[in-house]
Amino acid sequence: MKSAGSRFRAALEHNQPLQIVGTINAYTALMAEKVGHQAIYLSGAGVANASYGLPDLGMTSLENVLEDARRITAITETPLLVDIDTGWGGAFNIARTVKEMIRAGVAAVHLEDQVQQKRCGHRPNKQIVSKAEMVDRIKAATDARTDAGFFIIARTDAFAQEGLEAAIERATACVEAGADGIFAEAVHSLEDYQAFSEALSVPVLANMTEFGQTPLFTLTELHRAGVAMALYPLSAFRAMNAAALKVYQCLLTNGDQKDVVADMQTRSELYEFLNYHDYENKLDELFKQ
Ligand SMILES: C[C@](O)(C(=O)O)[C@H](CC(=O)O)C(=O)O
Ligand SMILES: [Mg+2]
């Protein structure tokens, strides 16, 4: 079996752009895999929000994110991209983060140039570290690779503060430092993506997060702009949250769930994704009366 990183590289080669979908937990990863997605994502915001009920402000740790990543890699071979925020510290911490991610069966990570007290990329008043410091982060990450296939994406949040040219310059420096891909965060237009992809020799990632700074471009539009990876970090999570809220409100208001049963995934659908019957048959076979 090829390493997770090599599987990610293969998926990237065969899908242009490669859709990378957020899977907030192991079960949603199973659903994404079974409907045919080739790459999945563990969002930093998602771990903070869903697993800890916290905002995406750099409050979760390496161990917190690893725990959620391991649950996903234990159940699916679909390559997983993980958001490692700022890498959780200096060069040695970043090296340890990369090694632990590889050990956990993760295929790829993105490491960003915000200060440790980071914010969501689509919020105002983000602060970034110097280009030199970001290059050091990337060098620490690429040097720590214990699997040559492991895919390291440098994310730059520089566009918001410093504009397109400076952001491309920073991205170029990250590529020179060994980054395998560039995540151009919170850019505004297809022309911006085009400029990144034309200037860089590595695949560019576009973040199609909803309710942010970037319009929700189609896959065809992104392809034309030279984008290689399209990320949907929290799309399913946002939809799940709205559905759950509706159920909680309905139970309170109506005193029963009849009005929302039609919105629910059925027991048999759930069992299908879980391969439930295979497990049950095995049990019957092993413990025949
Ligand atoms: C991609 C991201 O880093 C994430 O953690 O999922 C977020 C997504 C979001 O908050 O919409 C980001 O873009 O900063
Ligand atoms: Mg994030």
Side-chain angles (χ1 to χ4, degrees), residues 53 156 185 208:
T156 181
E185 177 63 314
M208 292 295 102

Side-chain angles (χ1 to χ4, degrees), residues 99-119:
K99 288 187 192 333
E100 289 297 320
M101 287 291 156
I102 295 172
R103 210 195 309 278
V106 168
V109 290
H110 67 73
L111 174 64
E112 73 201 34
D113 58 0
Q114 287 200 51
V115 295
Q116 299 291 337
Q117 199 64 69
K118 59 144 298 161
R119 299 178 185 219

Side-chain angles (χ1 to χ4, degrees), residues 41 43-46 56 83 85 110 112 118-122 155 183 185 207 209-210 231 233-234 238:
Y41 179 65
S43 151
D56 181 23
D83 179 356
D85 288 344
H110 67 73
E112 73 201 34
K118 59 144 298 161
R119 299 178 185 219
C120 158
H122 293 257
R155 160 170 154 177
F183 177 161
E185 177 63 314
N207 181 8
T209 196
E210 300 82 8
L231 180 68
L234 295 161
R238 296 189 210 284

Side-chain angles (χ1 to χ4, degrees), residues 23 25-35 75-76 273-275:
T23 51
N25 55 29
Y27 179 65
T28 53
L30 276 183
M31 287 197 292
E33 176 180 67
K34 291 215 175 152
V35 302
I75 207 71
T76 170
F273 284 113
L274 292 171
N275 268 333

Side-chain angles (χ1 to χ4, degrees), residues 255-274:
D256 65 70
Q257 68 274 61
K258 289 185 189 111
D259 279 359
V260 287
V261 169
D263 296 340
M264 294 183 188
Q265 187 174 58
T266 65
R267 182 183 295 270
S268 64
E269 286 162 348
L270 174 77
Y271 285 3
E272 184 74 33
F273 284 113
L274 292 171

Side-chain angles (χ1 to χ4, degrees), residues 277 279-289:
H277 297 292
Y279 285 95
E280 214 173 51
N281 291 341
K282 184 88 190 164
L283 206 60
D284 292 344
E285 191 188 299
L286 281 172
F287 306 110
K288 264 193 205 124
Q289 297 289 333

